[in-house]
């Protein structure tokens, strides 16, 4: 797939390693808005069960 056929979410996942590491889901991306889901993964939770600040 060429870059002109990729969605913004696919481009971010392809170029930003942390987006892949966190398994981010780009639910909606428009010129005005981005909605991103962060899956609940125990490896990235802090001591009280929430997402780490870096995540």
């Amino acid at each position: 797939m060429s870059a002109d056929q990729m969605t913004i979410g696919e481009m971010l996942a392809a170029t930003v390693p942390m987006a892949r590491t966190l398994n981010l889901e780009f639910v909606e991306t428009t010129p005005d808005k981005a909605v991103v889901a962060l899956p609940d993964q125990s490896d990235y939770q802090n001591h009280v069960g929430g997402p780490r600040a870096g995540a």
Side-chain angles (χ1 to χ4, degrees), residues 2 14 16 33 47:
S2 67
V16 181
K33 171 170 88 169
H47 65 286

Side-chain angles (χ1 to χ4, degrees), residues 7-46:
T7 66
I8 292 171
E10 290 168 335
M11 283 190 269
L12 286 169
T15 58
V16 181
M18 197 60 168
R20 290 189 306 274
T21 298
L22 293 175
N23 298 312
L24 297 179
E25 177 187 352
F26 296 89
V27 178
E28 179 183 358
T29 54
T30 69
D32 301 317
K33 171 170 88 169
V35 178
V36 180
L38 174 63
D40 187 16
Q41 301 170 87
S42 60
D43 287 346
Y44 302 111
Q45 291 176 350
N46 61 23

